[in-house]
């Protein structure tokens, strides 16, 4: 098959900043900001290809991080944010008592870019200890090179890139180090005739932020356990909902089909999206892979770092406007209900005039190999733990009861598939992200006698010795149809065991990786609630031959 790769980077280009002093919070009430007054920005695009004699050829890119003024809302003043050439001091509070990238000179902000969803070499994966400061004056212990190589030989789909520096991911993303990245394949995608072009194919990067009255981002610098961690808190939640850098924006649309690639770029907030006028979502892809068939839903539950690729047909609307709403509790699933500020995301103004629509949603999309459990070379048990202080406040979180620095225990062979049984022993829903590997969710099962099993696991940290089969016998939790395809993130339900089949090979071909996947510094897997990842719900992942 002749494969033409056309990919674009959407720079949400580091939109967020905060003054370096926090003497007074001056927190702004979200009720002071009128909703739906700003137009939805179409994030600037960088094409990583050029056409030479009618042939598409890739080209190198230099993506900077520079100081920039940005207004999140019409009624907020502009303020400073950072893109690259980052200064000596961070613009947000951070906590050195958790495992953190700290330069020897205490000058410079460590950062490293991870291309989320990429199937690529370890040296370019954005390893948490491969950080670097301004001008590469200091680098982390696993840093290898200045220029990253993205092969882009995988299936077409949605990726996004963000900072991944050890212990600083949550604050660096709040400071704006994030953007969207699309891999296209004309041969595969053109026959689908899905909505395309800048007007009808839009990326929506959604996250939450709180503001001070001067327009800067607010983040508390007092932790929930200040005697243990002066700043770290289990989750960051903002009062205002931001889309493409604007608080509660609006978009005027025509009465025809649009494609929206929705990325949840929040630190910790889940979204359960729905339309106020009953419009439906037609799912065509999830995370970085197409579905085999479209799936229609009334709502979307999207965890941090998950991507929903949907078509919305505005010709079906019986009204001239629609609010994209949200009703996911925070923390999810048993936290506070949404309020007037965060139950709305953006507004669509729908033109009255009917139009002839040339776009369609085919009955069949893209077929990839089925998840064959009989081909799995190994079965693993992955347990999620939360640890608390004497007053029951979280202090840190681990996977398999191990810190990030303990020796690697997950060593899959290149080209194989494995069964991972992910056991969530906490009260939170944790979106698990695996670097390099894609997976299919086989099932979720509730634990019975959960407290008894958790007590055994806290003592022995061994699912087999604790007789997991006896406890993983509760009610089955339905895997939504639109999440049964290949994914790189999935929501691990509290008090349950989630079986996934993880593939460490391409899903669209039998070709071998064109890079050495066993090279240093290897990969990682982690919870994508960034406050959890930083303290330190993350483990190394090392492929072997």
């Amino acid at each position: 098959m002749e494969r033409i790769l056309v990919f674009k980077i959407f720079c949400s280009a580091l939109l967020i900043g905060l003054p370096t002093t926090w003497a007074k919070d001056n927190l702004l009430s979200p009720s002071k900001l009128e909703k739906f007054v700003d137009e939805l920005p179409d994030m600037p695009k960088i094409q990583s290809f050029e056409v030479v004699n009618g042939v598409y050829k890739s080209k190198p890119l230099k993506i900077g991080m520079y100081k920039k003024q940005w207004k999140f809302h019409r009624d907020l003043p502009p303020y400073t944010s950072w893109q690259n050439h980052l200064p000596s001091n961070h613009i947000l509070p951070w906590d050195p008592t958790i495992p953190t990238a700290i330069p020897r000179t205490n000058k410079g902000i460590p950062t490293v870019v991870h291309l989320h969803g990429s199937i690529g070499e370890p040296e370019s994966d954005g390893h948490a200890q491969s950080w670097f400061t301004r001008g590469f004056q200091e680098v982390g212990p696993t840093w290898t090179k200045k220029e990253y190589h993205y092969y882009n030989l995988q299936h077409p789909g949605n990726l996004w890139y963000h900072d991944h520096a050890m212990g600083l991911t949550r604050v660096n993303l709040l400071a704006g180090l994030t953007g969207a990245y699309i891999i296209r394949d004309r041969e595969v995608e053109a026959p689908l005739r899905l909505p395309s072009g800048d007007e009808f194919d839009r990326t929506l990067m959604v996250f939450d932020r709180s503001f001070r009255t001067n327009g800067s981002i607010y983040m508390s610098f007092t932790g929930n356990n200040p005697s243990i961690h002066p700043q770290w808190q289990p989750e960051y939640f903002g009062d205002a909902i931001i889309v493409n850098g604007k608080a509660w924006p609006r978009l005027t649309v025509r009465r025809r089909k649009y494609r929206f690639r929705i990325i949840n770029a929040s630190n910790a907030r889940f979204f359960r999206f729905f339309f106020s006028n009953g419009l439906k979502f037609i799912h065509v892809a999830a995370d970085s892979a197409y579905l085999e068939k479209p799936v229609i839903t009334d709502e979307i539950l999207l965890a941090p770092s998950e991507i929903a690729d949907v078509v919305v047909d505005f010709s079906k609307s019986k009204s001239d406007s629609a609010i994209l709403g949200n009703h996911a509790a925070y923390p999810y699933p048993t936290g506070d209900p949404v309020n007037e500020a965060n139950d709305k995301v953006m507004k669509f103004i729908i033109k009255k005039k009917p139009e002839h629509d040339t776009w369609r949603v085919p009955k069949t999309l893209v077929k990839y190999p089925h998840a064959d459990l009989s081909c799995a070379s190994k079965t693993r048990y992955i347990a999620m733990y939360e640890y608390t202080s004497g007053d029951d406040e979280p202090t840190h979180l681990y996977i398999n009861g191990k810190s990030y620095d303990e020796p690697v225990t997950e060593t899959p062979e290149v080209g194989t598939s494995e069964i991972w049984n992910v056991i969530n022993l906490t009260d939170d829903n944790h979106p698990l992200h695996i670097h390099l590997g894609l997976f299919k969710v086989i099932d979720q099962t509730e634990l019975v006698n959960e407290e008894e099993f958790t007590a055994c696991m806290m003592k022995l940290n061994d699912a087999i010795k604790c007789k997991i089969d006896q406890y993983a016998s509760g009610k089955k939790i339905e895997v939504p149809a639109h999440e049964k395809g290949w994914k790189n993130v999935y929501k691990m339900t509290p008090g349950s065991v989630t079986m996934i089949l993880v593939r460490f090979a391409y899903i669209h071909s039998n070709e071998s990786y064109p890079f050495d996947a066993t090279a240093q510094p290897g990969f990682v897997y982690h919870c994508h609630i960034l406050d959890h990842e930083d303290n330190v719900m993350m483990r190394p992942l090392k492929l072997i031959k």
Side-chain angles (χ1 to χ4, degrees), residues 6-48:
V6 183
F7 33 93
K8 298 180 181 179
I9 298 178
F10 297 76
C11 297
S12 76
L14 315 172
L15 303 174
I16 305 160
L18 187 68
T20 55
T21 59
W22 311 294
K24 294 182 179 179
D25 288 346
N26 291 322
L27 193 60
L28 177 72
S29 170
S31 64
K32 301 294 185 182
L33 299 177
E34 185 178 351
K35 295 180 176 64
F36 317 129
V37 296
D38 288 300
E39 293 292 334
L40 176 78
D42 191 7
M43 294 187 290
K45 304 173 183 66
I46 306 173
Q47 293 183 335
S48 56

Side-chain angles (χ1 to χ4, degrees), residues 10 157-158 182-184 189 195 201-205 259-263 290 307-310:
F10 297 76
N158 301 293
I182 296 175
I183 296 180
R184 303 186 191 273
E189 297 180 285
D201 184 354
R202 306 289 294 264
T203 294
L204 303 180
M205 184 167 279
R259 182 177 185 174
F260 297 110
R261 304 166 189 261
I262 308 173
I263 304 171
Y290 275 96
I307 302 176
D309 193 335
V310 299

Side-chain angles (χ1 to χ4, degrees), residues 11 100 102 117 176 189 195 205 222 233 252 265 298 311 341 355 383 397 401 480:
C11 297
T100 301
I102 302 177
E189 297 180 285
M205 184 167 279
T222 302
Q233 292 190 344
T252 299
D298 294 317
V311 172
E355 292 196 14
L397 302 98

Side-chain angles (χ1 to χ4, degrees), residues 201-501:
D201 184 354
R202 306 289 294 264
T203 294
L204 303 180
M205 184 167 279
V206 187
F207 47 86
D208 56 338
R209 297 291 186 268
S210 290
F211 298 104
R212 287 184 169 88
T213 54
N214 67 356
S216 63
I217 290 296
Y218 170 75
M219 180 183 186
S220 174
F221 55 92
T222 302
N224 64 310
N225 268 315
S227 63
I228 301 173
H229 300 304
Q231 185 279 325
W232 180 82
Q233 292 190 344
E235 291 97 6
Y236 171 90
F237 295 110
D239 295 321
I241 306 302
I242 315 298
V243 187
N244 293 2
K246 291 294 182 181
W248 307 290
R250 67 189 182 202
L251 177 65
T252 299
V253 295
R254 294 150 66 176
R255 287 189 174 268
R256 54 189 301 170
K257 299 180 187 71
Y258 284 71
R259 182 177 185 174
F260 297 110
R261 304 166 189 261
I262 308 173
I263 304 171
N264 183 352
S266 299
N267 282 34
R269 184 181 292 277
F270 285 62
F271 288 99
R272 192 181 292 276
F273 296 113
F274 66 96
F275 279 110
S276 61
N277 65 346
L279 281 172
K280 297 183 181 298
F281 303 96
I282 308 173
H283 295 259
V284 296
D287 294 344
S288 61
Y290 275 96
L291 301 174
E292 290 190 6
K293 295 180 180 180
V295 177
I296 301 174
T297 66
D298 294 317
E299 58 182 27
I300 306 171
L301 179 63
L302 212 59
S305 84
E306 280 192 301
I307 302 176
D309 193 335
V310 299
V311 172
V312 177
D313 189 350
F314 290 101
S315 71
K316 304 292 186 182
S317 176
K318 296 180 180 179
S319 60
D320 294 333
S321 67
I323 305 296
L324 181 63
N326 163 50
H327 57 80
Y330 60 104
Y332 187 82
T334 58
D336 295 330
V338 293
N339 56 39
E340 198 277 333
N342 54 48
D343 69 352
K344 297 175 183 62
V345 178
M346 63 178 292
K347 182 177 184 178
F348 293 90
I349 300 170
I350 307 167
K351 292 184 176 181
K352 295 180 179 294
K353 183 180 178 181
E355 292 196 14
H356 174 65
D357 192 346
T358 57
W359 310 120
R360 67 172 188 139
V361 179
K363 293 182 179 180
T364 301
L365 293 162
V366 179
K367 288 191 175 183
Y368 296 118
H370 292 289
D372 188 353
L373 295 179
S374 65
C375 294
S377 61
K378 192 174 183 64
T379 297
R380 302 184 189 273
Y381 293 91
I382 310 294
M384 295 175 160
Y385 296 89
E386 180 178 79
Y387 303 87
T388 60
S389 62
D391 54 359
D392 204 33
E393 285 287 341
T395 58
H396 61 288
L397 302 98
Y398 279 166
I399 294 177
N400 284 343
K402 299 180 183 298
S403 72
Y404 175 78
D405 292 328
E406 293 186 62
V408 62
T409 51
E410 282 65 56
T411 55
E413 292 186 22
V414 176
T416 65
S417 297
E418 295 188 348
I419 294 172
W420 287 20
N421 293 289
V422 184
I423 309 165
N424 186 352
L425 301 176
T426 80
D427 293 331
D428 290 329
N429 189 310
H430 298 285
L432 180 70
H433 173 48
I434 303 175
H435 289 213
L436 184 70
L438 292 177
F439 56 84
K440 281 197 173 185
V441 183
I442 307 304
D443 65 30
Q444 278 195 330
T445 308
E446 290 183 352
L447 292 166
V448 298
N449 299 321
E450 181 185 349
E451 290 186 4
E452 180 180 289
F453 177 70
T454 299
C456 181
M457 288 292 288
M458 294 294 287
K459 180 180 179 180
L460 301 180
N461 191 30
D462 188 312
I464 300 298
K465 290 181 180 179
C466 288
K467 301 178 181 179
I468 179 64
D469 289 344
Q470 294 182 16
Y471 294 96
S473 58
K475 183 180 69 175
K476 293 292 184 181
I477 303 170
E478 178 65 23
V479 179
H482 63 279
E483 298 193 69
K484 290 183 177 179
W486 290 101
K487 289 179 60 64
N488 57 58
V489 181
Y490 195 72
K491 299 172 281 288
M492 301 300 160
T493 301
S496 71
V497 180
T498 306
M499 178 187 290
I500 60 176
L501 182 75

